[in-house]
Structure formats: C-alpha cells, structure tokens
Short mmCIF file of all heavy atoms in Angstrom, two decimals:
data_model
loop_
_atom_site.label_atom_id
_atom_site.label_comp_id
_atom_site.label_asym_id
_atom_site.label_seq_id
_atom_site.Cartn_x
_atom_site.Cartn_y
_atom_site.Cartn_z
N ASP A 8 74.05 47.82 95.90
CA ASP A 8 73.29 47.17 96.96
C ASP A 8 71.95 47.84 97.23
O ASP A 8 71.45 47.81 98.36
CB ASP A 8 74.14 47.12 98.24
CG ASP A 8 75.33 46.19 98.09
OD1 ASP A 8 75.18 45.17 97.39
OD2 ASP A 8 76.39 46.49 98.63
N ARG A 9 71.37 48.40 96.17
CA ARG A 9 70.06 49.03 96.29
C ARG A 9 69.07 48.29 95.41
O ARG A 9 69.43 47.78 94.35
CB ARG A 9 70.14 50.48 95.82
CG ARG A 9 71.06 51.34 96.67
CD ARG A 9 71.30 52.68 96.02
NE ARG A 9 70.10 53.48 95.97
CZ ARG A 9 70.00 54.72 96.44
NH1 ARG A 9 71.04 55.30 96.96
NH2 ARG A 9 68.88 55.37 96.37
N GLN A 10 67.85 48.23 95.86
CA GLN A 10 66.79 47.71 95.01
C GLN A 10 66.60 48.70 93.86
O GLN A 10 66.75 49.91 94.05
CB GLN A 10 65.52 47.59 95.85
CG GLN A 10 64.44 46.76 95.25
CD GLN A 10 63.25 46.63 96.18
OE1 GLN A 10 62.88 47.59 96.85
NE2 GLN A 10 62.66 45.45 96.23
N ALA A 11 66.30 48.21 92.66
CA ALA A 11 66.16 49.10 91.51
C ALA A 11 65.13 48.54 90.53
O ALA A 11 64.90 47.33 90.47
CB ALA A 11 67.50 49.26 90.80
N VAL A 12 64.54 49.43 89.77
CA VAL A 12 63.70 49.05 88.65
C VAL A 12 64.55 49.23 87.40
O VAL A 12 65.18 50.28 87.21
CB VAL A 12 62.43 49.93 88.57
CG1 VAL A 12 61.68 49.68 87.27
CG2 VAL A 12 61.53 49.68 89.77
N LEU A 13 64.59 48.22 86.55
CA LEU A 13 65.33 48.27 85.29
C LEU A 13 64.30 48.28 84.17
O LEU A 13 63.46 47.38 84.08
CB LEU A 13 66.25 47.07 85.15
CG LEU A 13 67.20 46.80 86.32
CD1 LEU A 13 68.03 45.56 86.05
CD2 LEU A 13 68.08 47.99 86.59
N ARG A 14 64.38 49.32 83.32
CA ARG A 14 63.43 49.46 82.22
C ARG A 14 64.19 49.41 80.88
O ARG A 14 64.86 50.37 80.52
CB ARG A 14 62.70 50.79 82.29
CG ARG A 14 61.72 50.92 83.42
CD ARG A 14 60.99 52.24 83.24
NE ARG A 14 60.17 52.57 84.36
CZ ARG A 14 59.60 53.76 84.53
NH1 ARG A 14 59.78 54.71 83.63
NH2 ARG A 14 58.85 53.99 85.58
N PRO A 15 64.05 48.32 80.14
CA PRO A 15 64.70 48.25 78.82
C PRO A 15 63.84 48.89 77.74
O PRO A 15 62.61 48.77 77.75
CB PRO A 15 64.84 46.74 78.58
CG PRO A 15 63.73 46.13 79.37
CD PRO A 15 63.47 47.04 80.54
N TYR A 16 64.51 49.56 76.79
CA TYR A 16 63.85 50.23 75.67
C TYR A 16 64.49 49.79 74.37
O TYR A 16 65.69 49.51 74.31
CB TYR A 16 64.01 51.76 75.79
CG TYR A 16 63.34 52.33 77.02
CD1 TYR A 16 64.01 52.38 78.24
CD2 TYR A 16 62.05 52.83 76.96
CE1 TYR A 16 63.41 52.90 79.36
CE2 TYR A 16 61.43 53.36 78.09
CZ TYR A 16 62.11 53.38 79.29
OH TYR A 16 61.51 53.90 80.40
N ASP A 17 63.66 49.79 73.29
CA ASP A 17 64.22 49.50 71.97
C ASP A 17 64.72 50.79 71.33
O ASP A 17 64.62 51.87 71.92
CB ASP A 17 63.20 48.77 71.09
CG ASP A 17 61.98 49.59 70.71
OD1 ASP A 17 61.98 50.84 70.87
OD2 ASP A 17 61.00 48.98 70.23
N ALA A 18 65.25 50.70 70.12
CA ALA A 18 65.85 51.86 69.44
C ALA A 18 64.84 52.95 69.12
O ALA A 18 65.21 54.11 68.92
CB ALA A 18 66.55 51.40 68.17
N ALA A 19 63.55 52.62 69.10
CA ALA A 19 62.49 53.61 68.85
C ALA A 19 62.00 54.26 70.14
O ALA A 19 61.11 55.10 70.11
CB ALA A 19 61.33 52.96 68.10
N GLY A 20 62.58 53.86 71.28
CA GLY A 20 62.18 54.43 72.56
C GLY A 20 60.98 53.77 73.20
O GLY A 20 60.41 54.30 74.15
N GLN A 21 60.59 52.60 72.72
CA GLN A 21 59.46 51.87 73.30
C GLN A 21 59.95 50.96 74.42
O GLN A 21 60.92 50.22 74.25
CB GLN A 21 58.75 51.04 72.22
CG GLN A 21 58.12 51.88 71.14
CD GLN A 21 57.05 52.80 71.68
OE1 GLN A 21 56.12 52.38 72.36
NE2 GLN A 21 57.18 54.09 71.39
N MET A 22 59.27 51.03 75.58
CA MET A 22 59.65 50.18 76.70
C MET A 22 59.29 48.74 76.38
O MET A 22 58.18 48.44 75.93
CB MET A 22 58.96 50.65 77.98
CG MET A 22 59.48 49.95 79.22
SD MET A 22 59.01 50.73 80.78
CE MET A 22 57.26 50.50 80.79
N LEU A 23 60.22 47.83 76.61
CA LEU A 23 60.04 46.42 76.29
C LEU A 23 59.62 45.57 77.47
O LEU A 23 59.04 44.51 77.30
CB LEU A 23 61.35 45.86 75.71
CG LEU A 23 61.85 46.53 74.44
CD1 LEU A 23 63.23 46.01 74.06
CD2 LEU A 23 60.86 46.33 73.31
N ASP A 24 59.97 46.01 78.67
CA ASP A 24 59.78 45.16 79.85
C ASP A 24 60.00 46.03 81.07
O ASP A 24 60.25 47.23 80.96
CB ASP A 24 60.81 44.02 79.80
CG ASP A 24 60.48 42.86 80.73
OD1 ASP A 24 59.46 42.92 81.44
OD2 ASP A 24 61.25 41.88 80.74
N GLY A 25 59.99 45.44 82.21
CA GLY A 25 60.34 46.09 83.46
C GLY A 25 60.75 45.02 84.44
O GLY A 25 60.11 43.97 84.52
N VAL A 26 61.83 45.24 85.15
CA VAL A 26 62.36 44.25 86.08
C VAL A 26 62.62 44.93 87.42
O VAL A 26 63.22 46.00 87.48
CB VAL A 26 63.70 43.67 85.54
CG1 VAL A 26 64.32 42.72 86.55
CG2 VAL A 26 63.48 42.97 84.22
N LEU A 27 62.16 44.29 88.48
CA LEU A 27 62.49 44.74 89.83
C LEU A 27 63.69 43.92 90.28
O LEU A 27 63.60 42.69 90.42
CB LEU A 27 61.31 44.52 90.78
CG LEU A 27 61.57 44.85 92.24
CD1 LEU A 27 61.92 46.33 92.41
CD2 LEU A 27 60.35 44.49 93.09
N ALA A 28 64.81 44.59 90.43
CA ALA A 28 66.05 43.91 90.85
C ALA A 28 66.26 44.13 92.35
O ALA A 28 66.24 45.27 92.82
CB ALA A 28 67.23 44.45 90.06
N GLU A 29 66.46 43.06 93.05
CA GLU A 29 66.74 43.14 94.48
C GLU A 29 68.18 43.61 94.69
O GLU A 29 69.00 43.55 93.76
CB GLU A 29 66.50 41.78 95.13
CG GLU A 29 65.05 41.34 95.11
CD GLU A 29 64.11 42.31 95.82
OE1 GLU A 29 64.52 42.93 96.83
OE2 GLU A 29 62.96 42.45 95.36
N PRO A 30 68.53 44.06 95.90
CA PRO A 30 69.90 44.51 96.15
C PRO A 30 70.92 43.45 95.72
O PRO A 30 70.76 42.26 96.00
CB PRO A 30 69.93 44.73 97.67
CG PRO A 30 68.51 45.07 98.00
CD PRO A 30 67.67 44.23 97.08
N GLY A 31 71.92 43.90 94.97
CA GLY A 31 72.97 43.02 94.49
C GLY A 31 72.65 42.28 93.20
O GLY A 31 73.51 41.58 92.67
N GLU A 32 71.44 42.42 92.67
CA GLU A 32 71.04 41.68 91.47
C GLU A 32 71.02 42.52 90.20
O GLU A 32 70.87 41.97 89.10
CB GLU A 32 69.65 41.07 91.67
CG GLU A 32 69.59 40.01 92.74
CD GLU A 32 68.19 39.43 92.91
OE1 GLU A 32 67.25 39.89 92.22
OE2 GLU A 32 68.03 38.53 93.74
N SER A 33 71.15 43.82 90.29
CA SER A 33 71.00 44.69 89.12
C SER A 33 72.00 44.38 88.02
O SER A 33 71.65 44.36 86.83
CB SER A 33 71.12 46.16 89.51
OG SER A 33 70.00 46.55 90.28
N GLU A 34 73.23 44.11 88.38
CA GLU A 34 74.27 43.84 87.39
C GLU A 34 73.94 42.60 86.55
O GLU A 34 74.01 42.62 85.32
CB GLU A 34 75.62 43.66 88.10
CG GLU A 34 76.78 44.15 87.34
CD GLU A 34 78.04 44.16 88.20
OE1 GLU A 34 78.06 43.66 89.34
OE2 GLU A 34 79.04 44.68 87.68
N GLY A 35 73.53 41.53 87.21
CA GLY A 35 73.16 40.31 86.51
C GLY A 35 71.91 40.50 85.66
O GLY A 35 71.82 39.99 84.54
N GLU A 36 70.94 41.23 86.18
CA GLU A 36 69.71 41.49 85.42
C GLU A 36 70.01 42.31 84.17
O GLU A 36 69.43 42.08 83.11
CB GLU A 36 68.67 42.19 86.29
CG GLU A 36 68.06 41.31 87.35
CD GLU A 36 67.19 40.19 86.78
OE1 GLU A 36 66.71 40.29 85.64
OE2 GLU A 36 67.00 39.19 87.51
N LEU A 37 70.92 43.28 84.29
CA LEU A 37 71.30 44.07 83.11
C LEU A 37 71.88 43.18 82.02
O LEU A 37 71.51 43.31 80.85
CB LEU A 37 72.35 45.12 83.48
CG LEU A 37 71.87 46.46 83.98
CD1 LEU A 37 73.05 47.30 84.39
CD2 LEU A 37 71.03 47.15 82.95
N LYS A 38 72.78 42.31 82.40
CA LYS A 38 73.39 41.41 81.41
C LYS A 38 72.34 40.55 80.74
O LYS A 38 72.36 40.35 79.53
CB LYS A 38 74.48 40.57 82.08
CG LYS A 38 75.69 41.40 82.46
CD LYS A 38 76.72 40.61 83.22
CE LYS A 38 77.85 41.55 83.62
NZ LYS A 38 78.79 40.98 84.52
N ARG A 39 71.38 40.07 81.53
CA ARG A 39 70.30 39.26 80.97
C ARG A 39 69.45 40.08 80.00
O ARG A 39 69.12 39.61 78.90
CB ARG A 39 69.43 38.70 82.10
CG ARG A 39 68.34 37.75 81.61
CD ARG A 39 67.42 37.32 82.74
NE ARG A 39 66.65 38.40 83.31
CZ ARG A 39 65.59 38.99 82.73
NH1 ARG A 39 65.21 38.61 81.54
NH2 ARG A 39 64.93 39.94 83.36
N LEU A 40 69.12 41.31 80.37
CA LEU A 40 68.31 42.17 79.50
C LEU A 40 69.03 42.44 78.18
O LEU A 40 68.42 42.43 77.11
CB LEU A 40 67.95 43.48 80.19
CG LEU A 40 66.94 43.37 81.33
CD1 LEU A 40 66.86 44.67 82.11
CD2 LEU A 40 65.57 42.96 80.80
N PHE A 41 70.35 42.68 78.25
CA PHE A 41 71.11 42.99 77.03
C PHE A 41 71.39 41.75 76.18
O PHE A 41 71.89 41.88 75.07
CB PHE A 41 72.40 43.75 77.36
CG PHE A 41 72.16 45.23 77.53
CD1 PHE A 41 72.22 45.81 78.79
CD2 PHE A 41 71.88 46.02 76.44
CE1 PHE A 41 72.00 47.17 78.95
CE2 PHE A 41 71.64 47.39 76.58
CZ PHE A 41 71.71 47.96 77.84
N ASP A 42 71.03 40.56 76.66
CA ASP A 42 71.08 39.37 75.80
C ASP A 42 70.06 39.48 74.67
O ASP A 42 70.20 38.83 73.64
CB ASP A 42 70.83 38.09 76.60
CG ASP A 42 72.04 37.65 77.40
OD1 ASP A 42 73.17 38.12 77.10
OD2 ASP A 42 71.86 36.84 78.33
N ASP A 43 69.05 40.31 74.87
CA ASP A 43 68.04 40.54 73.83
C ASP A 43 68.57 41.62 72.89
O ASP A 43 68.77 42.76 73.31
CB ASP A 43 66.73 41.00 74.48
CG ASP A 43 65.62 41.27 73.49
OD1 ASP A 43 65.87 41.31 72.27
OD2 ASP A 43 64.48 41.46 73.95
N PRO A 44 68.81 41.33 71.62
CA PRO A 44 69.35 42.32 70.69
C PRO A 44 68.43 43.51 70.45
O PRO A 44 68.88 44.55 69.97
CB PRO A 44 69.58 41.52 69.40
CG PRO A 44 68.82 40.27 69.54
CD PRO A 44 68.60 40.02 71.00
N ALA A 45 67.15 43.38 70.78
CA ALA A 45 66.22 44.50 70.61
C ALA A 45 66.42 45.60 71.65
O ALA A 45 66.01 46.73 71.45
CB ALA A 45 64.77 44.00 70.67
N VAL A 46 67.09 45.28 72.75
CA VAL A 46 67.31 46.26 73.82
C VAL A 46 68.42 47.22 73.41
O VAL A 46 69.56 46.81 73.18
CB VAL A 46 67.63 45.58 75.16
CG1 VAL A 46 68.03 46.60 76.22
CG2 VAL A 46 66.45 44.75 75.64
N ALA A 47 68.08 48.50 73.31
CA ALA A 47 69.05 49.54 72.96
C ALA A 47 69.55 50.28 74.19
O ALA A 47 70.68 50.77 74.20
CB ALA A 47 68.43 50.54 71.98
N LEU A 48 68.72 50.37 75.22
CA LEU A 48 69.02 51.18 76.39
C LEU A 48 68.24 50.63 77.57
O LEU A 48 67.10 50.17 77.40
CB LEU A 48 68.57 52.63 76.13
CG LEU A 48 68.79 53.65 77.23
CD1 LEU A 48 70.22 54.19 77.14
CD2 LEU A 48 67.81 54.80 77.10
N VAL A 49 68.85 50.67 78.74
CA VAL A 49 68.14 50.31 79.97
C VAL A 49 68.28 51.48 80.93
O VAL A 49 69.37 52.00 81.14
CB VAL A 49 68.72 49.03 80.62
CG1 VAL A 49 68.04 48.75 81.96
CG2 VAL A 49 68.58 47.84 79.68
N GLN A 50 67.14 51.90 81.49
CA GLN A 50 67.16 52.91 82.54
C GLN A 50 67.11 52.21 83.89
O GLN A 50 66.30 51.31 84.09
CB GLN A 50 65.98 53.86 82.41
CG GLN A 50 66.07 54.77 81.22
CD GLN A 50 64.93 55.76 81.17
OE1 GLN A 50 64.06 55.81 82.04
NE2 GLN A 50 64.92 56.57 80.13
N VAL A 51 68.01 52.63 84.78
CA VAL A 51 68.02 52.13 86.15
C VAL A 51 67.33 53.21 86.99
O VAL A 51 67.73 54.38 86.96
CB VAL A 51 69.47 51.89 86.64
CG1 VAL A 51 69.47 51.43 88.09
CG2 VAL A 51 70.16 50.87 85.74
N ARG A 52 66.28 52.81 87.70
CA ARG A 52 65.44 53.78 88.40
C ARG A 52 65.27 53.42 89.88
O ARG A 52 65.36 52.27 90.27
CB ARG A 52 64.07 53.86 87.74
CG ARG A 52 64.14 54.47 86.36
CD ARG A 52 62.79 54.55 85.71
NE ARG A 52 62.85 55.50 84.62
CZ ARG A 52 62.50 56.78 84.71
NH1 ARG A 52 62.05 57.27 85.84
NH2 ARG A 52 62.60 57.58 83.67
#
C-alpha cells in the first residue's frame, strides 16, 4: 500500500522504462512489466 517507482532492466543492466505505481498497484504493474520478455529484473524503489 505504498507508492513506488518500478524500474525494469534488461539482461545487460540497461533500464528499459520507469513506472510510478500508486498504492495497491505495484503488483499488477510488475506483472505487466514482466509480460515483456526483455525484462530480466525490476527494482522497486
């Protein structure tokens, strides 16, 4: 229930995007980000 910044990275460590998730939305945003096969890791900040 916290606002968060989600930063997806590819396997080479390059940031692909950035998402501001409102409280309660981070879980859904993560699933959406991982629909992209290029995403290797997402940092929640």
Side-chain angles (χ1 to χ4, degrees):
D8 292 325
R9 297 169 67 126
Q10 195 177 39
V12 171
L13 308 179
R14 290 186 189 169
Y16 296 86
D17 66 15
Q21 296 298 308
M22 189 166 66
L23 300 173
D24 197 359
V26 175
L27 176 61
E29 293 301 326
E32 294 179 358
S33 291
E34 214 170 8
E36 289 293 338
L37 272 176
K38 290 175 183 171
R39 184 186 65 74
L40 289 169
F41 277 108
D42 282 343
D43 180 349
V46 173
L48 180 85
V49 175
Q50 290 184 1
V51 178
R52 292 180 162 265

